[in-house]
Structure formats: structure tokens, C-alpha cells
Amino acid sequence: MFTRRHAIRLGLTTGAVGAVGAAGGVFRTLTAGQPAATPATANAAAAAPAEPFSVPLTIPPVLAPYRRTRTADFYRVTMRRAGVEILPGTRTDALTYNGSFTGPTIRATTGRTTVVQQINRLDMPASVHLHGGNNPVAHDGGMMDTIAPGGKRTYVYENEQPGATLWTHDHAHHMESEHVYRGLSGLYLLRDPAEDALGLPSGRYDIPLVLRDAQFDGNAQLVYTMDDAENRTTILVNGRPWPYLKVEARTYRFRLVNSCNLRIFVLALSDGSATQHPVRQIGTDGGLLAAPAETPVLVLSPGERADFVVDFSKYAPGTKLTLANMLGPGPTELVGQVMRFDVGERTADTSRVPDTLATLPALAKPTVERSFDLSMDEPGSGGHQAYINGRTFDPDRIDTHVEWGSTEVWTVTNKSATVPHNFHTHLVQFRILERDGQPPYPAETGWKDTVLLFPGQTAKLQLTFDSHRGVYPYHCHMIDHSAMGMMAQMKIS
């Protein structure tokens, strides 16, 4: 059960609840046994011609390399407009990688180089950022380092980092918000041989779940309005509205990615009764946790990832489990459910989830401390800008000078009165030291590159800058906010 204690610890206090409401919606919890209405009977402007749990979950296609060498895999991806089926029986114009919504998955391996040629067949510039990747500036896909319409760009990823659930998305400044909303994102699953030895569920029992929300007009076309959280009330998983997945009664691994522009999810398994169904989280943004963390909810803001496992053998065949969402904005009957798991017969299962997953290095002694305040023009103020330390993004300005090799502690505070934010760093993964003076939940103790902050909340992060030199951004990954100016640059030298 999602209790008041859990809410307070996550920052979902009265102020945070008000923040979500002021941003254009209502905070709602799904209580045990609460019926869910049919999307078609609710909010006509955002309704979709689909019954909940009437379409099967689809898995994004895996992209095959066109060339392989002893040390590298080579891929070719074309960014282009395409008509795709999102709502059943209709076609929606989307911005895609290789015509796929969600984009195709690249499966990479730690220590083995991935080379991706990106071809821009759109009529506007684009930049491809590997979110969570540790790459030189030339291959980071920065917001001003774009590919012109008709142009090509080759990105080289050396994958010198632990295995993790990463993703790619457009980062062209002032355009990234609409481009990502309309489809320019895809999975990048980094496999680690050391992780393979653990025996975790794999193959068809290792399933990505890419979450996004959308608003459709009467012709099934995407409606985009900057900073509109309230009306994006069709919940999509892997590009399908409120899908179902038939699962065997055995253990599965799921890789959650929040690819929404603004929506924060607080997710829990529900069977419609008062029974609590905790899950075991095994990974976060930068890879595996040190140990599995049992949690009643999975909290995911835009850009964050969470790997978790569910043992469906605990449930009788025929059980239907809903992945419920307990946070607005939007009516519960639309945004309060994400997908459903339909449990089948018990099958053989040789997978395991060991008590020890990874070894996290001891934290170095920091030598520098910095503070960063996030804020934006509040709803109703008439303003439409967002700030870090009181300034909007300027591509010609360096905001933070970092000495290469240093370890720093960054204190990040959400100064907004009514709006949640999060904070994402390029290049470096960090460790969360504390939230509002309290240690983080076990599920937040691993490597992170994005951290959620509700109004008034503060997080202390520890970062070490010992890989690449150059100029990299840090920003709010509620990506409409970064497009409104909540972004800055650090120079590591």
C-alpha cells in the first residue's frame, strides 16, 4: 500500500501535491478496489478510440548492425516523418527513427564500440543525445551541435561504462521538446558480461517498457502545446495505449524508461484488492544497484530509468495485475492506469535474483561544493521562462568551471512554489547523498544521472569528473522546462 510515510519520504507532501495540481491537474491516488473508467467515456479532447487493455504490448524492434568488426558494431539510422499506428486502426504522423514509434533498440556491449550514422531526413535540425552515456563532447549530441536537414552525422560510443538501460533522444535546443514528444527517442540497452553471469531473467523475459503520454485530436494526430501536462492523458507503453502483456508464471525483468516530456509516474502493481504487491528494483539510471531493493512504488520522472523484477509464479493463473499510476495531472480513469499483466501457467524458470548485484565504489572525498537553484515562471504569472540560478540558458556562456579529476558535491534545490522539476547531468553519473537532510531510499543509492525534485525539495549529489574534458550541459529533464531555458553549461578542463 502506498502510505503517507512513503509519500512524505518521496517528497509528495501537501506542497508537492499542490504543485502537480497547479501545473494543470489533480493529484489522485488509486485506492484498492477502485474501478477504472474507460478512456473513451472520459475527457473527450484527450480520449482515444481504444478500450484499456485491449491491445497487446509490442516490443520495439532491435536494430541489426550492417557491419561488425572484431571491436565495433556499425548501425545506420534515418530520422524521418512516418505514419504509424498508435491508436488502433488509425495512422498518426510522427517523427521517427527508421519509421518506428517507439524507435528501434540498439543492443550494445560494455567495452565494445558502437558506431551510429544518423541521417536527417526531417525539415529541421536535430541532435541525437545518448542519455546516460559517457562520451566525448563530439559524440554527446549537444543542444547546439545539430545535424542540418539532409545532413549526416556519425556518433561513436565506446561504451566504457557499466551495463545499463540508456536511451537516445533529440536535443536540438528550442526544438527538443516537440521533437521528443512527436517520437524522436529510442532505446539503447548496454549489456555487461559481468551482469550476464548473475543469472537475471533474460531473452524474452527481459522486457523494456518505454512510457510516454500524448494528446490526440479527432483525426488521431498528436497535439503539441509547450508545457501542457494536463491534456496529455493518453498513456502509451512502447507506443501502444494502455496495453496488456500475457506473462508466464515465472520471474520477469522489466526496464522502465520515462520518455515523457513532463509526466512523473508513481507506479504500483494492483490486483484490485487491498493486498500489497511490492516489486524488487534491481537497477537505476546508471546500472545495477548493489542489492535488490523491495519497494511498494516505482517513482520515475522524465528521463529516469528503473529496472525491476516481478515473480509472477506467486499469482494464480488467470490473475490480472494492473500497473497503476498514483500521480496526476489528469483524471484517474485516464492516467491512473498504465498497462496490465495477464498471468498464465507456471513454466520452468532457471533465472535468479542474487542478494548482491554489483559493487559500488566507495565515495571519494569531495573537494568542491556548489549550489544550484531551479525555478520558473509560475503558472498564471504570464511568464514562460525557466531558470538555473536565476539565469536562462545562453549557449555562449559557461556557468560552471570544473577541474578535471575533481570530486564535487552539488546541492540542487527546487525553488519553484508549485512546479516539480528534475535535474540531469550529461557525461557523469552521480550518487545521491541525501534528500532534505535524509539518506536516500535504497532504490536511489545506485548510479544516477537524473534526480526528481518536488517544490521546496533539496538533494545533495556527489559527482566525479574523471573521464572526458569539454563543455557539457546540465538541465531539467522535464524537457519542456529545459526548452524554456532551464539549462546551463559546465566546462571540464
Side-chain angles (χ1 to χ4, degrees):
M1 190 73 78
F2 186 59
T3 66
R4 177 175 174 81
R5 178 177 61 84
H6 294 128
I8 292 172
R9 185 63 182 274
L10 291 167
L12 296 173
T13 58
T14 301
V17 171
V20 178
V26 179
F27 176 88
R28 298 172 185 264
T29 56
L30 289 181
T31 56
Q34 178 179 351
T38 300
T41 66
N43 191 348
E51 297 291 327
F53 318 134
S54 64
V55 298
L57 179 76
T58 55
I59 307 300
V62 175
L63 192 61
Y66 71 84
R67 179 187 170 209
R68 301 194 71 184
T69 68
R70 186 174 58 84
T71 59
D73 299 313
F74 295 77
Y75 298 86
R76 191 173 287 119
V77 177
T78 299
M79 293 175 276
R80 60 182 175 89
R81 290 184 178 272
V84 297
E85 181 176 296
I86 302 174
L87 307 179
T90 65
R91 306 298 288 182
T92 299
D93 182 59
L95 306 182
T96 72
Y97 295 128
N98 285 3
S100 174
F101 184 98
T102 300
T105 299
I106 291 178
R107 290 189 173 272
T109 303
T110 295
R112 182 174 174 83
T113 300
T114 301
V115 181
V116 185
Q117 183 188 62
Q118 294 280 356
I119 303 166
N120 186 0
R121 294 286 182 252
L122 302 172
D123 58 1
M124 68 277 287
S127 176
V128 182
H129 170 56
L130 177 56
H131 183 120
N134 184 321
N135 296 300
V137 169
H139 303 287
D140 184 58
M143 54 282 169
M144 310 306 295
D145 191 9
T146 58
I147 308 167
K152 301 177 182 179
R153 178 70 177 271
T154 297
Y155 296 92
V156 179
Y157 308 130
E158 295 181 352
N159 299 318
E160 295 295 336
Q161 59 189 98
T165 300
L166 311 180
W167 64 302
T168 58
H169 63 80
D170 180 78
H171 215 305
H173 187 45
H174 288 313
M175 293 178 282
E176 69 269 44
S177 171
E178 185 167 3
H179 286 183
V180 172
Y181 176 79
R182 294 191 181 278
L184 280 186
S185 64
L187 283 165
Y188 188 98
L189 302 182
L190 184 57
R191 168 183 164 265
D192 191 333
E195 183 178 315
D196 292 346
L198 296 175
L200 296 168
S202 61
R204 61 194 180 98
Y205 305 108
D206 179 356
I207 297 177
L209 303 175
V210 181
L211 310 183
R212 66 193 314 137
D213 57 357
Q215 179 187 4
F216 294 91
D217 65 17
N219 296 315
Q221 299 307 303
L222 289 163
V223 177
Y224 172 80
T225 304
M226 172 71 82
D227 199 29
D228 179 16
E230 181 178 7
N231 292 309
R232 300 170 185 173
T233 53
T234 298
I235 305 300
L236 306 175
V237 186
N238 295 350
R240 305 299 282 162
W242 301 286
Y244 68 87
L245 176 66
K246 294 181 178 180
V247 296
E248 300 166 21
R250 54 152 291 154
T251 302
Y252 282 72
R253 174 182 184 172
F254 297 101
R255 299 172 183 261
L256 274 174
V257 179
N258 185 346
S259 69
C260 297
N261 284 37
L262 294 168
R263 184 171 299 280
I264 300 163
F265 290 97
V266 177
L267 303 170
L269 280 180
S270 170
D271 64 359
S273 73
T275 303
Q276 182 173 322
H277 298 281
V279 301
R280 283 184 292 171
Q281 186 169 339
I282 61 170
T284 186
D285 301 341
L288 293 176
L289 294 167
E294 187 170 283
T295 176
V297 293
L298 294 161
V299 181
L300 222 61
S301 67
E304 288 188 287
R305 289 87 67 208
D307 287 18
F308 68 101
V309 292
V310 178
D311 181 3
F312 292 109
S313 70
K314 297 187 299 183
Y315 305 99
T319 300
K320 299 182 186 301
L321 294 166
T322 300
L323 188 60
N325 175 37
M326 294 182 284
L327 190 66
T332 301
E333 61 269 20
L334 291 173
V335 304
Q337 52 197 351
V338 174
M339 64 175 294
R340 193 180 71 194
F341 301 103
D342 296 350
V343 181
E345 297 296 327
R346 184 183 299 270
T347 59
D349 184 1
T350 59
S351 68
R352 58 188 294 267
V353 182
D355 294 336
T356 299
L357 297 169
T359 300
L360 299 178
L363 292 170
K365 183 177 180 180
T367 56
V368 177
E369 294 194 11
R370 304 181 194 270
S371 296
F372 300 88
D373 292 341
L374 312 181
S375 62
M376 67 183 293
D377 297 328
E378 301 288 344
S381 69
H384 300 283
Q385 291 188 306
Y387 315 89
I388 296 181
N389 287 346
R391 298 195 288 187
T392 58
F393 174 64
D394 180 349
D396 297 322
R397 185 183 70 229
I398 301 298
D399 301 273
T400 304
H401 291 269
V402 176
E403 182 180 354
W404 186 89
S406 65
T407 294
E408 302 193 355
V409 170
W410 289 12
T411 300
V412 185
T413 302
N414 181 356
K415 292 289 190 177
S416 289
T418 64
V419 184
H421 301 298
N422 66 13
F423 187 77
H424 169 60
T425 52
H426 284 224
L427 181 66
V428 290
Q429 297 282 334
F430 52 74
R431 301 271 291 278
I432 300 174
L433 301 180
E434 60 182 57
R435 282 183 175 277
D436 295 330
Q438 298 297 315
Y441 258 165
E444 282 195 316
T445 56
W447 291 114
K448 296 280 293 174
D449 54 53
T450 308
V451 60
L452 170 62
L453 296 160
F454 283 101
Q457 195 169 43
T458 293
K460 282 193 173 184
L461 320 174
Q462 181 157 322
L463 317 85
T464 297
F465 301 88
D466 61 357
S467 56
H468 302 291
R469 292 174 167 85
V471 177
Y472 293 85
Y474 52 90
H475 58 89
C476 179
H477 213 284
M478 299 179 72
I479 200 165
D480 290 26
H481 297 173
S482 66
M484 296 163 67
M486 194 178 290
M487 181 159 55
Q489 295 185 118
M490 56 184 172
K491 184 175 183 180
I492 304 162
S493 58

